[in-house]
Amino acid sequence: MKAIQITETGGPEVLRLQDVPTPTPSPDEVLVEVRVAGVNYIDTYYREGVYHASLPFVPGLEGTGRVLHDPRGEIAEGTVVAWCDAFGSYAEQVCVPRDRLVAVPEEISPEVAGTMLLQGMTAHFLTHGVHDLQEGDSCLITAGAGGVGLLATQMAAAKGARVFSVVSTDEKEQLALEAGAAEVFRYSDNLAEVVRRRNGGMGVDVVYDGVGRDTFAESLEAVRPRGTVCLFGAASGPVEPFDPQLLNTHGSIFLTRPSLGAWTAGEGEFRLRAQAVTQAIVDGTLNFRISGSYPLAEAEQAHRDLQGRKTTGSIVLRVAD
Ligand code: NDP
């Protein structure tokens, strides 16, 4: 089968289309024919070697497609499913852990199904878990027009929270506003001061920071005493080691570095979050913006665009039509 295979870690140029053996599912897995694969920032961490995987490997974690074979015979061949935790998804076929897939309602398009779970469930655990936003809460979301950013903005606004968003361009500002942000700012050294000024002189209840190195210092400044800084990613690079005493001087603030894995590990938690996301899409209360749909062979360009800050919302790879 065709797949993007990485034989050495590095820049986007290491994403090459190759012929690789078809995988064989274990009893805990289901073999799936991939139609669309989601492209996520975490895929760039594996590609660069920031996150470790044994070489050679096929990157990608999520997608949608049809079940080809269930060794246990529980899921019918041809069932349309989506998943978010199947390493090797940039491929024509992949083995998906059976407890990490959901059936796709027919109202959801393949492009959306291929990218809805990883970013959607992340936005869900941020806004309903790490800090379960309440009506009247305030939050700051960095990269507010990105994949997770636009979804977290919609979910936070739907809960009645006041969303402050940070983006890099006018187009992204417009998208963040349409998603429900109350105010949108540009990155700056006095971001926290600007946010406070617009939030009645107070820091926000929670900062959701997926940018990392470039924004972390301002995130600590922007939160209220006893508020939460949720560092959930590192699009600009990992945060440098720092003195925990800073959490004290900023007013006994909480810092967490959560993962989707930990926030879907509880009994029934994966199903609950997946169901919340798919139901919201079907109901029309959660909109996915797919700003790029690339053929599988152009995974390199997809990564260049993602890391070059050229994308908005989500992007996908078309594996089969
Ligand atoms: P995005 O679509 O948000 O793309 C990244 C965005 O980050 C860019 O569009 C850009 O928006 C912003 N950015 C700021 N500085 C930089 C920089 N120096 N280089 C590149 N981009 C920059 O990606 P995702 O939605 O896939 O992921 C967002 C974040 O969420 C990532 O950090 C990812 O690792 C994290 N994540 C964490 C999960 C978890 O379980 N903890 C799960 C899923 C995602 P702008 O131009 O507006 O600044």
Side-chain angles (χ1 to χ4, degrees):
M1 68 168 187
K2 297 279 184 212
I4 298 293
Q5 193 185 44
I6 292 182
T7 53
E8 58 180 332
T9 54
E13 67 282 354
V14 304
L15 297 167
R16 293 192 204 97
L17 193 66
Q18 312 265 10
D19 284 306
V20 304
T22 303
T24 307
S26 73
D28 293 333
E29 296 174 328
V30 173
L31 182 65
V32 170
E33 180 182 47
V34 182
R35 177 157 182 194
V36 172
V39 177
N40 291 284
Y41 223 90
I42 191 173
D43 303 339
T44 71
Y45 306 149
Y46 279 108
R47 193 204 71 222
E48 291 174 345
V50 176
Y51 286 2
H52 178 73
S54 300
L55 293 167
F57 67 89
V58 176
L61 287 164
E62 75 168 341
T64 186
R66 286 180 187 279
V67 171
L68 285 176
H69 175 57
D70 176 0
R72 286 198 199 147
E74 291 170 0
I75 305 176
E77 195 181 309
T79 305
V80 178
V81 293
W83 60 89
C84 70
D85 196 13
F87 203 66
S89 290
Y90 288 11
E92 289 179 329
Q93 295 181 26
V94 66
C95 294
V96 180
R98 64 175 66 244
D99 61 354
R100 285 292 178 268
L101 54 74
V102 294
V104 178
E106 58 185 24
E107 299 92 325
I108 301 182
S109 73
E111 263 78 18
V112 171
T115 191
M116 67 183 177
L117 289 182
L118 203 153
Q119 295 174 350
M121 290 201 295
T122 298
H124 192 269
F125 86 70
L126 294 176
T127 55
H128 293 68
V130 168
H131 180 101
D132 190 12
L133 287 165
Q134 306 297 315
E135 175 118 35
D137 280 356
S138 56
C139 65
L140 174 66
I141 301 179
T142 62
V148 175
L150 281 180
L151 300 171
T153 300
Q154 292 175 68
M155 289 183 190
K159 292 186 94 181
R162 185 167 167 76
V163 180
F164 299 105
S165 183
V166 198
V167 301
S168 63
T169 67
D170 289 348
E171 185 208 1
K172 291 182 179 187
E173 173 173 345
Q174 191 53 38
L175 292 170
L177 288 170
E178 286 167 12
E183 300 208 41
V184 185
F185 309 114
R186 296 292 187 277
Y187 301 92
S188 75
D189 289 342
N190 66 346
L191 174 66
E193 193 186 312
V194 176
V195 171
R196 258 169 221 285
R197 218 180 294 141
R198 306 301 300 168
N199 194 41
M202 295 280 293
V204 292
D205 296 299
V206 54
V207 179
Y208 298 115
D209 186 359
V211 169
R213 185 162 55 204
D214 291 356
T215 46
F216 185 64
E218 287 301 308
S219 293
L220 296 182
E221 294 281 347
V223 77
R224 68 161 164 78
R226 291 163 55 177
T228 298
V229 172
C230 171
L231 176 69
F232 69 96
S236 66
V239 169
E240 303 293 335
F242 73 102
D243 183 353
Q245 177 65 11
L246 269 180
L247 306 179
N248 175 359
T249 55
H250 283 84
S252 295
I253 61 176
F254 294 87
L255 172 66
T256 181
R257 175 57 179 92
S259 71
L260 178 59
W263 279 92
T264 48
E267 180 71 35
E269 204 174 9
F270 176 86
R271 301 250 149 242
L272 183 148
R273 297 198 197 286
Q275 172 77 20
V277 170
T278 50
Q279 194 57 51
I281 298 170
V282 171
D283 293 346
T285 54
L286 185 66
N287 293 309
F288 274 72
R289 175 183 168 82
I290 314 291
S291 75
S293 172
Y294 306 73
L296 178 63
E298 291 174 19
E300 173 182 344
Q301 189 59 47
H303 276 220
R304 284 193 194 288
D305 291 348
L306 183 61
Q307 290 187 288
R309 304 169 81 162
K310 295 198 176 102
T311 64
T312 55
S314 312
I315 60 172
V316 297
L317 299 176
R318 293 192 313 278
V319 182
D321 288 321

